[in-house]
């Protein structure tokens, strides 16, 4: 074996070794991130139980219910991110749909928070003290979020439809031997 061939062989082994090292580091970081997300979600659920207790005590306050829904949607977002992380670790590929779902949940969560804030802004004492411009800005944000939600739902729909169509195409190819 010549020196050039040895160098190429050494270089190839170094590349493979370095790629394996980076892959291991990537998986370890995914595991740490997943653990932190799981702990955060568990803390969110525990906090939701205390919010339920507070909502039961003050059952006529809508703010407590909005806060509880906000917390639950945050936990749902964390679970979707954790699910996406798990899929990424297992398949070693980026899957788009879970990110769209997280964006959808985040947008809905923000709309609920805006609704809660808008309720407070429309009270007489707040309306007179710069509540009107804040309310108008909230309504603009609400409109933009409604548009974002529409786009995300459409993207999820078309992504699922295209995935469904490609699965049918693969099934048709498998059903007809001798083609391709």
């Amino acid at each position: 074996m010549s020196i050039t061939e040895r160098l190429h062989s050494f270089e190839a082994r170094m590349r493979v070794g370095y790629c394996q090292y980076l892959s291991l580091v990537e998986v370890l970081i995914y595991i740490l991130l997943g653990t932190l997300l799981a702990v955060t979600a568990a803390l969110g659920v525990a906090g939701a139980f205390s919010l339920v207790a507070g909502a039961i005590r003050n059952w006529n306050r809508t703010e407590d219910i909005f806060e509880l829904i906000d917390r639950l949607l945050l936990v749902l977002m964390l679970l979707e991110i954790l699910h996406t992380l798990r899929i990424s670790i297992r398949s070693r590929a980026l899957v788009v749909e879970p990110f769209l779902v997280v964006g959808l949940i985040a947008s809905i969560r923000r709309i609920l928070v805006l609704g809660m804030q808008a309720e407070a802004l429309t009270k007489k004492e707040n309306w007179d003290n710069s509540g009107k411009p804040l309310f108008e800005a909230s309504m603009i944000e609400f409109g933009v979020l409604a548009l974002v939600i529409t786009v995300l739902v459409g993207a999820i729909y078309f992504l699922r439809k295209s995935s469904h169509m490609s699965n049918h195409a693969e099934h048709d190819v498998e059903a007809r031997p001798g083609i391709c």
Side-chain angles (χ1 to χ4, degrees), residues 21-37:
Y21 168 75
L22 287 179
S23 179
L24 178 65
V25 169
E26 179 185 9
V27 169
L28 289 174
I29 290 172
Y30 275 143
I31 289 170
L32 290 172
L33 186 60
T35 303
L36 289 172
L37 282 169

Side-chain angles (χ1 to χ4, degrees), residues 53-155:
I56 289 171
R57 281 192 303 269
N58 301 318
W59 60 272
N60 57 349
R61 286 191 41 182
T62 57
E63 293 87 12
D64 290 343
I65 294 170
F66 275 126
E67 190 175 351
L68 176 61
I69 291 170
D70 182 48
R71 177 71 56 94
L72 293 175
L73 287 172
L74 175 64
V75 171
L76 189 59
M77 283 174 43
L78 291 171
L79 288 177
E80 275 299 318
I81 294 170
L82 193 58
H83 174 72
T84 305
L85 189 63
R86 186 174 54 85
I87 290 172
S88 296
I89 291 171
R90 189 174 354 151
S91 68
R92 295 184 172 258
L94 182 64
V95 182
V96 176
E97 186 177 342
F99 289 106
L100 296 173
V101 171
V102 169
L104 184 63
I105 295 168
S107 299
I108 292 169
R109 181 175 176 255
R110 182 64 187 149
I111 282 180
L112 288 172
V113 170
L114 278 175
M116 185 173 59
Q117 291 171 344
E119 180 184 353
L121 289 175
T122 57
K123 293 183 180 174
K124 176 95 171 100
E125 62 273 4
N126 292 336
W127 192 259
D128 294 337
N129 298 325
S130 74
K132 185 176 180 181
L134 288 173
F135 180 77
E136 290 170 351
S138 295
M139 291 303 103
I140 291 170
E141 185 177 357
F142 181 81
V144 170
L145 286 168
L147 180 64
V148 166
I149 287 171
T150 304
V151 168
L152 289 173
V153 167

